[in-house]
């Protein structure tokens, strides 16, 4: 059977579970037809309800149990179906079918998430994003449960509850929601220097993506690949978005959370519905076993990345997300990722964070989904056939046949039987280990400043400015002086100029030394001096791959263009711009003074997408205003249009105006920016398009401080 058939079979498998009520009669859960679902059974129309009302009791009981425990982290998520296609075989390194068979189209389900907030928290929190991919491979399910940043906050699973407790709402007052800007988080971070690398990424634009479709993904840990000969190579996994890596500014993020707290979720959904399928390339960094100790950092340390300039990322395939879930709960909520789900040809490394995760996720799925049979939920079912001797438990959905549920047996003919390594049987890599049992950490994990410094050095000026603003905002929200001072000292170890800016912004001086022992929690009997983060090393001046300034700036497909119009707008201007934008697949949104319809100067009527009172500039990528005497006159009567333009300017967006629309600029701060590279007055649509593709004109950033929005 070809893999293509397997793929459609998988989709069919899910379809078999789909139910809808179209053309069907309402029934109870037992299939009894219902003739009234609006009134309970009572003793007389004004009497009390009767216990025998099984229809009422079934409906309410079911409702009472609708919620399951939300994920303790990554509670807020959005999912999509798609497929993965391998373009280059890794046969030399791995025997995994998904990494060697280029003729396959492997189904995937991906769930993106924020980490800290609860299920209903806003999408644009400053946070790491989860990027979890379930590959339904022919040899079993492989879950690559990663994030949109290539490193993690801590080095050992043992500290995960401390990290999460520090960032979650403070336990006494249960605030703040989905925010790291508070005392407990900075108390922990400033005492735990290993967090500084992931922390500076969280202060960067990576933590406020423009879209889930415009984020990179990383497996973070070093994994192993195992080839047919049983040889092993270390590997790091990367997802690279075809749309490039783009972010919003913090001012936009705060406002988007108010204007549309589902911004990312809707953006992903709408793009897929529109047939604009998001795509990522899968890349690998492969390190031979012999090179394990070759670097200035330990490749088992999850707070370190391997710079692409030192080990290039080899692109081996592409993932496309092309289908939205039918039901959020059944699919996105019930999907259960386990980093322990690997297939023959892939194996774990000894990264102590990964090792802890291998336990945690199964445990969490048991508590969330309530039964060891969670793999039988349709979204979690493997594509590969399963035969085993595990039995029973809550909600067993299969009817296992036969007398035997043990191994070895003769009564069942010895079935299900074992597979040799050469037949695809999983066998763990036989790593040689000769060590003492010890509760400690490798000293090779002790360098905590070099990579945050490398990251900061590699950023462009505008990215660095955003990082400084983020530190200043977050520390400005903390109330304890000693915590803020400790952070300032630590930031100084990363970059002195950065620390100076933050110190000025928060009004505190950088202490000459900090009095509390950092890494106090290594162990009561450890010599703290042994675990102090060593002096900063510079093994690479810059890693250009870390800067968003070096991402792709090609496409404007799915970019949202706000077109500000009122009755009488110029059809000539509009149609010319619309044709150019539509050709490049940008999404045009007509924003008019009121809801309903709007008419151009040629008497053509259009449905509007939003009334100005219901929308905000921060929800769009660029602004276009066609001419038209009457239209512009109406727009001038609404101060919100002026605010809309000023915000677009402030956020360094491309703006195009034609003919009379220039008057709007003269009533806004736009009049100061007529020479700006991303402002077009009676300009060519193509130039506007090029500016949108560049995402923002960050050169404007230093000149917009005085715009009061
Ligand atoms: Fe997770 N993490 N994690 N994590 N994580 C969970 O599992 C945990 C870590 C990540 O969309 C939980 O199903 C421990 C690193 C993602 O469903 C839980 C440690 C990375 C998701 C859990 C880590 C991640 C989770 C909560 C330290 C990036 C969402 C609900 C040892 C490589 C998956 C759940 C989804 C979810 C534990 C560290 C990514 C509690 C103990 C490092 C993307 O099991």
């Amino acid at each position: 059977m070809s893999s293509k058939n397997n793929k459609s079979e998988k989709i069919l498998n899910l379809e078999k579970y789909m139910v809808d009520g179209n053309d069907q009669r309402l029934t109870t859960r037992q299939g009894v037809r219902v003739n009234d679902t609006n009134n309970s059974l009572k003793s007389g129309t004004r009497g009390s309800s009767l216990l025998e009302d099984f229809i009422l009791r079934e409906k309410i009981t079911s409702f009472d149990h609708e919620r399951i425990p939300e994920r303790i982290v990554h509670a807020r998520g959005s999912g999509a179906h798609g497929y993965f296609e391998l373009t280059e075989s890794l046969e030399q390194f791995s025997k995994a079918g998904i990494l060697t068979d280029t003729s396959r189209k492997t189904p995937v389900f991906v769930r993106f998430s924020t980490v800290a907030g609860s299920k209903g928290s806003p999408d644009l929190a400053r946070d790491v994003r989860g990027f979890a991919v379930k590959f339904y491979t022919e040899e079993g399910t492989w879950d690559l449960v990663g994030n949109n940043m290539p490193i993690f906050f801590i080095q050992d699973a043992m500290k995960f509850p401390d990290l999460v407790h520090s960032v979650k709402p403070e336990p006494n007052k249960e605030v703040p929601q989905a925010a790291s800007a508070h005392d407990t988080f900075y108390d922990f971070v400033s005492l735990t220097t290993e967090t500084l690398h992931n922390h500076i990424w969280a202060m960067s634009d990576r933590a406020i993506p423009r879209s889930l479709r415009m984020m990179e993904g990383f497996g973070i840990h070093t994994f192993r690949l195992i080839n047919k000969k049983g040889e092993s190579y270390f590997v790091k996994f990367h997802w690279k978005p075809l749309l490039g890596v783009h972010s919003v500014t913090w001012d936009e993020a705060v406002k988007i959370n108010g204007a549309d707290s589902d911004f990312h979720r809707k953006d992903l959904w709408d793009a897929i519905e529109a047939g604009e399928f998001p795509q990522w390339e899968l890349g690998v960094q492969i390190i031979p076993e012999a090179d394990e100790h070759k670097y200035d950092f330990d490749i088992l340390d999850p707070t370190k990345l391997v710079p692409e300039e030192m080990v290039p990322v080899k692109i081996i395939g592409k993932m496309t997300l092309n289908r939205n879930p039918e039901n959020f709960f059944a699919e996105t909520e019930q999907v259960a990722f386990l980093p322990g789900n690997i297939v023959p040809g892939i194996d774990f490394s000894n990264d102590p964070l990964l090792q802890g995760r291998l336990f945690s996720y199964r445990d969490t799925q048991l508590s969330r989904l309530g039964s060891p049979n969670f793999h039988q939920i349709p979204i979690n079912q493997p594509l590969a056939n399963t035969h085993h001797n595990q039995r029973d438990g809550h909600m067993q959905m299969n009817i296992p046949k036969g007398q035997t549920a043990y191994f070895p047996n003769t009564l069942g003919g010895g079935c299900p039987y074992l597979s040799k390594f050469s037949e695809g049987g999983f066998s763990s890599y036989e790593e040689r280990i000769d060590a003492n049992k010890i509760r400690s950490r490798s000293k090779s994990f002790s360098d905590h400043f070099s990579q945050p410094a490398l990251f900061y050095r590699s950023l462009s000026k505008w990215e660095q400015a955003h990082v400084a603003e983020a530190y200043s905002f977050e520390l400005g929200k903390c109330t304890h002086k000693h915590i803020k001072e400790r952070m300032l000292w630590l930031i100084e170890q990363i970059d002195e100029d950065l620390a100076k800016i933050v110190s000025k912004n928060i009004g505190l001086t950088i202490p000459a030394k900090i009095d509390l022992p950092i890494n106090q929690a290594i162990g009561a009997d450890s010599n703290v001096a042994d675990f102090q983060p060593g002096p900063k090393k510079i093994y690479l001046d810059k890693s250009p791959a870390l800067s968003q300034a070096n991402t792709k700036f090609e496409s404007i497909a799915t970019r949202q263009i706000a077109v500000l119009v009122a009755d009488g707008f110029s059809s000539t201007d509009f149609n010319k711009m619309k044709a150019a934008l539509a050709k490049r697949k940008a999404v045009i949104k007509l924003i008019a003074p009121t809801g309903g319809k709007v008419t151009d100067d040629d008497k053509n009527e259009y449905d509007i997408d939003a009334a100005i009172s219901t929308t905000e500039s921060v929800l769009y990528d660029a602004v276009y205003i066609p001419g038209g005497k009457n239209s512009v006159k109406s727009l001038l009567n609404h101060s919100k249009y002026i605010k809309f333009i000023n915000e677009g300017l402030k956020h360094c967006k491309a703006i195009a105006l034609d003919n009379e629309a220039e008057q709007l600029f003269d009533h806004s701060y736009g009049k100061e920016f007529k020479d700006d590279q991303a402002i077009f007055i009676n300009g060519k649509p193509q130039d506007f398009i090029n500016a949108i593709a560049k995402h923002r004109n960050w050169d404007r950033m230093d000149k917009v401080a005085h715009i009061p929005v």
Side-chain angles (χ1 to χ4, degrees):
M1 186 191 291
S2 90
S3 43
K4 290 218 165 99
N5 290 340
N6 275 347
K7 183 197 163 234
S8 48
E9 208 176 87
K10 175 67 192 172
I11 292 168
L12 273 181
N13 274 345
L14 279 186
E15 272 174 359
K16 140 175 128 194
Y17 297 101
M18 290 175 190
V19 280
D20 73 43
N22 284 347
D23 297 328
Q24 300 296 328
R25 293 172 197 265
L26 183 71
T27 69
T28 65
R29 288 196 157 199
Q30 302 301 326
V32 175
R33 289 181 178 180
V34 173
N35 80 344
D36 183 345
T37 190
N38 300 315
N39 297 293
S40 50
L41 188 67
K42 300 178 201 72
S43 47
T45 50
R46 301 180 62 248
S48 59
S49 299
L50 298 178
L51 198 56
E52 73 169 69
D53 188 352
F54 66 96
I55 300 180
L56 170 75
R57 275 188 290 121
E58 186 201 70
K59 189 172 173 184
I60 298 285
T61 308
S62 175
F63 170 78
D64 290 345
H65 295 265
E66 273 175 9
R67 289 283 83 84
I68 59 172
E70 69 172 37
R71 290 164 171 83
I72 163 69
V73 281
H74 296 267
R76 167 117 190 130
S78 306
H81 292 272
Y83 55 88
F84 172 74
E85 288 165 302
L86 188 74
T87 47
E88 196 169 321
S89 168
L90 285 185
E91 196 152 7
Q92 185 195 343
F93 308 105
S94 173
K95 65 169 192 157
I98 187 162
L99 299 178
T100 51
D101 183 352
T102 50
S103 71
R104 287 191 192 183
K105 213 170 168 182
T106 302
V108 298
F109 186 78
V110 178
R111 185 174 178 274
F112 303 106
S113 48
T114 53
V115 181
S118 50
K119 199 167 171 285
S121 56
D123 279 346
L124 262 292
R126 176 176 292 286
D127 201 351
V128 176
R129 299 296 182 291
F131 193 127
V133 183
K134 190 177 275 296
F135 296 88
Y136 303 89
T137 93
E138 289 171 30
E139 294 82 15
T141 298
W142 173 35
D143 289 347
L144 186 57
V145 195
N147 282 343
N148 75 327
M149 300 180 189
I151 54 324
F152 199 64
F153 288 96
I154 47 166
Q155 296 171 325
D156 192 304
M158 190 78 152
K159 295 193 71 61
F160 192 64
D162 299 308
L163 166 74
V164 174
H165 290 171
S166 79
V167 74
K168 282 274 179 182
E170 298 183 7
N172 49 356
K173 42 193 179 305
E174 183 73 2
V175 288
Q177 176 59 243
S180 53
H182 57 115
D183 285 317
T184 55
F185 183 58
Y186 282 92
D187 195 17
F188 178 80
V189 164
S190 63
L191 288 168
T192 316
T193 47
E194 69 203 65
T195 59
L196 290 175
H197 190 197
N198 200 158
H199 183 259
I200 195 168
W201 277 75
M203 293 303 104
S204 79
D205 292 354
R206 302 275 181 152
I208 38 176
R210 156 65 183 85
S211 161
L212 300 169
R213 302 173 292 125
M214 300 174 195
M215 308 189 307
E216 284 182 301
F218 303 90
I220 299 191
H221 313 284
T222 296
F223 289 87
R224 282 180 183 275
L225 296 179
I226 313 294
N227 68 15
K228 275 199 181 117
K229 293 188 225 151
E231 296 161 342
S232 161
Y233 293 81
F234 291 109
V235 64
K236 294 231 178 230
F237 294 103
H238 295 244
W239 291 111
K240 303 224 174 238
L242 261 54
L243 292 175
V245 184
H246 304 288
S247 297
V248 298
T249 63
W250 178 238
D251 186 57
E252 286 171 276
V254 169
K255 291 171 178 166
I256 290 171
N257 282 340
D260 185 357
S261 60
D262 302 307
F263 185 73
H264 279 159
R265 182 174 285 181
K266 286 198 217 160
D267 167 276
L268 177 66
W269 180 279
D270 290 347
I272 293 175
E273 287 302 297
E276 286 299 320
F277 303 142
Q279 292 186 310
W280 286 261
E281 285 174 330
L282 178 65
V284 287
Q285 285 176 299
I286 295 178
I287 300 176
E289 280 223 296
D291 290 353
E292 181 175 0
H293 302 291
K294 171 176 152 184
Y295 302 97
D296 287 286
F297 46 86
D298 195 326
I299 62 165
L300 297 187
D301 172 357
T303 67
K304 304 295 183 296
L305 53 85
V306 180
E308 294 187 28
E309 293 72 15
M310 292 166 80
V311 179
V313 174
K314 181 185 171 76
I315 299 300
I316 58 161
K318 198 196 279 174
M319 175 171 77
T320 305
L321 298 183
N322 65 348
R323 192 158 55 89
N324 281 316
E326 292 293 330
N327 182 277
F328 183 90
F329 180 83
E331 298 168 79
T332 311
E333 192 62 13
Q334 291 201 111
V335 67
F337 292 96
L338 288 87
N341 281 352
I342 51 169
V343 290
I346 301 175
D347 210 335
F348 312 118
S349 75
N350 290 335
D351 171 343
L353 192 70
L354 173 61
Q355 293 284 320
R357 294 180 75 202
L358 300 180
F359 158 73
S360 170
Y361 289 65
R362 183 172 301 281
D363 188 41
T364 217
Q365 306 312 350
L366 281 173
S367 108
R368 238 165 43 78
L369 301 167
S371 153
N373 294 320
F374 65 80
H375 62 282
Q376 293 183 354
I377 296 171
I379 193 70
N380 295 325
Q381 286 185 6
L383 178 58
N385 291 330
T386 59
H387 306 284
H388 50 81
N389 293 317
Q390 283 131 43
R391 285 287 178 272
D392 307 344
H394 282 295
M395 307 287 175
Q396 166 60 278
M397 295 294 155
N398 298 331
I399 305 180
K401 295 200 295 185
Q403 188 184 6
T404 56
Y406 56 87
F407 190 87
N409 66 65
T410 52
L411 297 181
C415 294
Y417 55 94
L418 301 175
S419 306
K420 293 182 184 157
F421 181 78
S422 58
E423 295 166 335
F426 186 88
S427 79
S428 292
Y429 178 64
E430 290 189 18
E431 183 182 357
R432 183 173 157 68
I433 293 175
D434 176 12
N436 294 335
K437 184 161 40 165
I438 182 166
R439 192 185 287 283
S440 185
R441 202 170 300 184
S442 169
K443 287 189 188 145
S444 58
F445 281 32
S446 288
D447 172 10
H448 302 165
F449 298 130
S450 306
Q451 288 217 350
L454 169 65
F455 176 67
Y456 188 69
R457 278 202 306 277
S458 304
L459 298 182
S460 62
K461 284 249 159 325
W462 52 269
E463 289 173 295
Q464 290 188 336
H466 290 162
V467 168
E469 281 166 21
Y471 274 116
S472 308
F473 175 88
E474 299 254 317
L475 294 179
K477 289 280 188 178
C478 295
T479 61
H480 291 272
K481 194 169 165 232
H482 72 279
I483 294 176
K484 297 198 255 196
E485 285 179 342
R486 228 160 38 199
M487 274 311 297
L488 280 178
W489 186 85
L490 290 169
I491 297 169
E492 194 184 36
Q493 308 312 302
I494 299 173
D495 190 278
E496 287 175 22
D497 292 338
L498 172 63
K500 276 187 202 137
I501 304 170
V502 180
S503 115
K504 183 162 176 264
N505 286 347
I506 67 171
L508 286 176
T509 42
I510 308 166
K513 64 178 183 62
I514 49 175
D515 48 359
L516 285 168
I518 42 186
N519 278 334
Q520 60 180 0
I522 284 289
D525 286 324
S526 319
N527 178 3
V528 171
D530 281 351
F531 293 95
Q532 291 300 309
K536 200 162 64 187
K537 297 184 225 164
I538 300 189
Y539 35 83
L540 187 66
D541 176 35
K542 284 185 182 180
S543 168
L546 301 182
S547 167
Q548 292 183 224
N550 300 321
T551 189
K552 286 190 168 62
F553 296 100
E554 289 157 16
S555 169
I556 67 160
T558 74
R559 292 294 191 157
Q560 308 285 308
I561 317 300
V563 181
L564 309 186
V565 288
D567 286 340
F569 67 93
S570 160
S571 59
T572 318
D573 292 349
F574 175 67
N575 285 327
K576 189 167 140 208
M577 183 60 89
K578 185 180 154 192
L581 291 172
K583 203 167 151 205
R584 299 289 301 274
K585 297 187 174 167
V587 180
I588 291 161
K589 298 281 185 186
L590 290 181
I591 300 172
T594 59
K597 309 254 186 211
V598 66
T599 312
D600 67 17
D601 59 1
D602 228 6
K603 304 270 175 294
N604 299 307
E605 232 181 32
Y606 302 79
D607 287 330
I608 66 126
D609 294 288
I612 186 74
S613 58
T614 64
T615 195
E616 296 293 337
S617 166
V618 290
L619 302 177
Y620 305 91
D621 294 291
V623 185
Y624 171 59
I625 317 175
K629 211 167 119 205
N630 291 339
S631 168
V632 170
K633 202 169 150 204
S634 308
L635 299 188
L636 281 167
N637 282 333
H638 288 265
S639 61
K640 186 137 181 225
Y641 282 108
I642 303 299
K643 177 174 173 258
F644 202 99
I645 294 167
N646 286 338
E647 280 197 308
L649 285 166
K650 178 109 179 172
H651 300 137
C652 304
K653 291 175 182 171
I655 302 179
L657 312 107
D658 282 327
N659 299 312
E660 292 87 346
E662 192 173 349
Q663 291 169 43
L664 280 154
F665 239 36
D666 293 333
H667 283 76
S668 70
Y669 282 85
K671 56 182 170 293
E672 298 171 22
F673 293 92
K674 290 189 180 176
D675 295 334
D676 182 286
Q677 281 174 7
I679 304 287
F680 305 93
I681 299 172
N682 299 317
K684 289 195 204 113
Q686 188 54 47
D687 292 338
F688 182 45
I689 286 169
N690 294 345
I692 302 169
K694 285 195 182 132
H695 185 57
R696 302 295 162 95
N697 175 21
W698 296 117
D699 292 343
R700 196 190 300 157
M701 199 176 78
D702 293 335
K703 301 172 200 145
V704 292
H706 63 295
I707 301 181
V709 290

